[in-house]
Amino acid sequence: MIQTQVTERKTLRVLGVETSCDETGVAVVDADRGLLAHALHSQVDLHADYGGVVPELASRDHVRRLLPLVRQVLDEAGLGLADLDAVAYTAGPGLIGALLVGAGTARALAYGLGVPAVGVHHMEGHLLAPALEAEHPDPPYVALLVSGGHTMLVEVRGLGAYRVLGETLDDAAGEAFDKTAKLLGLPYPGGPALAALAQAGRPGAFRFARPMTDRPGLDFSFSGLKTQVLLAWRRQDPDDGQARADIARGFEDAVVETLATKCVRALDATGLKDLVVAGGVGANARLRALLAAQLATRGARAWFPRPEFCTDNGAMIALAGLLRIQAGERAGLGIEVRPRWPLSELTPPCPAAGQDAAASAAG
Ligand code: KG4
Ligand code: ZN
């Protein structure tokens, strides 16, 4: 007698946990239905008095927020813990204490549920975030990753296949926004505050250098710009609100035009037509408008995840984890995080050595 095996088609649901810095992000993605629910708690108010992230405060707040957020997201998705098939968490790069909160919680949840866990590279999350949107480009594409800690242009050829085309030699673009905002007396985090102030600024009233655009190459340097701003601001009357807004506008234009120039170069160098913008600075409206306009004239296209998926979030970690788990990757049972983890060390997924241990734990 011929045995016919009827296998019921089962989807894959992954919980994603992001705790690498000052945002607690949680989400559930479903292989068939996409993003089911996501929630975020930002610690901005907690760190505002200190002008930057205080690592120990960040870790403690993640401890307080993470499990309530997991419950909230599961409720919104109409799921229980038992409906989860895997747990993904940010394993690095980031603040070690903050990473350990997410990794420890995620691993414990996975172990308790008997499902696999996978550690995700935070930047890979950002690089893949466009796929959270219904309309998105498939690799290969060029990604501009512009956050508080990173500024890089990356050729994305597939999951885990990334080539860094250029990166910043000093400050990240978001860091330059934050530091420049601080010296103009704006609150932390400075990027959105500076962009808002620049709205009232007159274009061209102050013109700052477009660093490293006058020579070939795809690297960036932003630390000199804040010095230019400082010198210009010192020459103004501190009560002159218009001058402050004009300087903010001059700075924003310099950063945005520099980023756009390098993006166009990266597309030329790779022959690719799709540019994905990821990371917190990707929320900048002027950067979005300029890139969209410049690329449209070249038959290329700029893709932006919606702002909540540009900044840190759990959805991008859930998605990256889902893709890696589908490809067979598992983390071992150890709670391992990598505060420093170069993107260039990532490889396409392969069933890891830890898979047997994870599978037997799941077993
Ligand atoms: O990706 P992200 O949320 O966190 C990491 O750094 O990983 O990026 C945060 C950065 C901060 O430097 C913030 O000032 C900047 O993104 N940012 C912006 C804007 N919104 C956030 N910079 C310029 N314009 C914005 N609208
Ligand atoms: Zn980030």
Side-chain angles (χ1 to χ4, degrees):
M1 186 180 142
I2 300 169
Q3 293 267 331
T4 49
Q5 200 182 357
V6 181
T7 47
E8 202 181 303
R9 189 164 167 279
K10 192 180 179 306
T11 186
L12 183 65
R13 287 194 202 101
V14 180
L15 180 79
V17 169
E18 155 62 34
T19 63
S20 66
C21 189
D22 59 347
E23 263 126 8
T24 320
V26 177
V28 191
V29 292
D30 179 298
D32 293 336
R33 290 160 58 209
L35 182 64
L36 299 184
H38 71 108
L40 186 87
H41 173 77
S42 167
Q43 302 178 355
V44 161
D45 294 342
L46 181 70
H47 302 291
D49 287 347
Y50 306 94
V53 178
V54 183
E56 184 56 25
L57 293 183
S59 311
R60 289 173 191 216
D61 202 55
H62 287 308
V63 171
R64 274 191 294 270
R65 306 289 176 177
L66 188 49
L67 286 178
L69 277 180
V70 169
R71 284 190 202 103
Q72 179 187 330
V73 161
L74 288 175
D75 280 353
E76 282 171 19
L79 301 175
L81 279 172
D83 296 313
L84 297 175
D85 302 300
V87 184
Y89 60 93
T90 304
L95 301 170
I96 186 160
L99 288 169
L100 279 169
V101 176
T105 308
R107 274 249 45 114
L109 258 178
Y111 188 79
L113 295 172
V115 299
V118 63
V120 169
H121 192 292
H122 179 84
M123 294 301 152
E124 177 168 75
H126 279 304
L127 291 175
L128 302 176
L132 289 164
E133 305 291 5
E135 214 196 334
H136 62 264
D138 289 318
Y141 53 77
V142 172
L144 171 70
L145 204 57
V146 269
S147 71
H150 294 270
T151 298
M152 29 169 89
L153 277 161
V154 182
E155 183 182 350
V156 177
R157 293 190 301 274
L159 181 64
Y162 311 120
R163 184 162 69 100
V164 178
L165 302 169
E167 56 194 323
T168 185
L169 305 179
D170 40 59
D171 290 352
E175 188 180 3
F177 265 96
D178 292 341
K179 288 179 175 172
T180 303
K182 196 170 179 179
L183 64 88
L184 288 175
L186 296 170
Y188 163 86
L194 192 145
L197 177 64
Q199 299 268 32
R202 293 165 299 182
F206 286 85
R207 191 179 159 82
F208 301 113
R210 275 65 175 143
M212 297 184 71
T213 51
D214 57 352
R215 63 190 102 153
L218 293 167
D219 287 333
F220 304 90
S221 165
F222 290 112
S223 74
L225 253 181
K226 65 176 185 294
T227 313
Q228 288 183 41
V229 169
L230 180 66
L231 295 176
W233 180 226
R234 275 196 188 145
R235 286 194 295 270
Q236 311 304 312
D237 171 0
D239 295 327
D240 184 346
Q242 185 60 52
R244 203 163 75 120
D246 288 344
I247 288 177
R249 177 67 194 258
F251 169 82
E252 188 184 42
D253 281 344
V255 174
V256 162
E257 283 179 27
T258 302
L259 291 172
T261 301
K262 298 286 166 113
C263 287
V264 169
R265 268 190 210 170
L267 291 174
D268 286 348
T270 55
L272 296 174
K273 292 282 180 205
D274 290 305
L275 175 82
V276 157
V277 183
V281 184
N284 185 280
R286 218 174 291 282
L287 177 65
R288 289 175 167 239
L290 186 66
L291 278 174
Q294 288 202 352
L295 268 54
T297 63
R298 312 171 69 87
R301 178 160 176 195
W303 301 80
F304 305 95
R306 73 191 86 155
E308 72 216 76
F309 297 146
C310 271
T311 50
D312 289 352
N313 65 85
M316 67 184 193
I317 302 303
L319 175 69
L322 172 81
L323 295 173
R324 285 193 169 265
I325 283 167
Q326 280 179 324
E329 186 168 307
R330 306 286 185 275
L333 285 177
I335 297 172
E336 284 168 334
V337 295
R338 291 191 62 182
R340 288 175 193 278
W341 186 2
L343 185 66
S344 56
E345 287 183 15
L346 275 191
T347 53
C350 56
Q355 183 176 2
D356 292 345
S360 59

